Amino acid sequence: DSFIELLGFREPGTRLTIEAEDAPGILSHLASIFGQFNANITHVAVYRGAFGKSDVVVGTNALDTHEIERSIEEKGYKILYKLQNK
């Protein structure tokens, strides 16, 4: 229950799981992409993976995330999963 609350799975919005390099500045770079579209980041979790990659789960209150997703992928990140709560 705490995990669900921590990631905001019960709140309206979108959660994107993004594969990213495990390197300094990556989280800031991802946050700036959301900021370009005036999307508020409501939750963040990072799962450190293997081979220098991590999965970053970003929760936003935005429901229309198509432009955000396109920009994320144009910047070389890979979106692994998308979950929306309306």
Side-chain angles (χ1 to χ4, degrees):
D1 214 35
S2 295
F3 181 73
I4 289 170
E5 184 69 28
L6 181 68
L7 290 177
F9 284 114
R10 293 186 182 119
E11 298 175 20
T14 305
R15 258 129 320 282
L16 298 173
T17 302
I18 304 160
E19 182 181 71
E21 286 185 45
D22 188 4
I26 296 297
L27 193 55
S28 174
H29 189 238
L30 286 172
S32 73
I33 295 170
F34 282 82
Q36 291 172 5
F37 296 95
N38 294 319
N40 187 32
I41 294 175
T42 56
H43 300 85
V44 177
V46 178
Y47 301 94
R48 297 189 73 187
F51 309 109
K53 299 280 186 179
S54 290
D55 293 347
V56 181
V57 180
V58 179
T60 178
N61 58 357
L63 289 171
D64 181 7
T65 58
H66 290 79
E67 294 296 318
I68 296 169
E69 293 170 52
R70 184 176 333 157
S71 183
I72 288 169
E73 290 180 335
E74 285 175 356
K75 302 286 194 259
Y77 300 101
K78 181 178 178 183
I79 297 174
L80 302 174
Y81 186 73
K82 175 181 177 176
L83 175 68
Q84 286 190 310
N85 289 340
K86 295 181 181 184

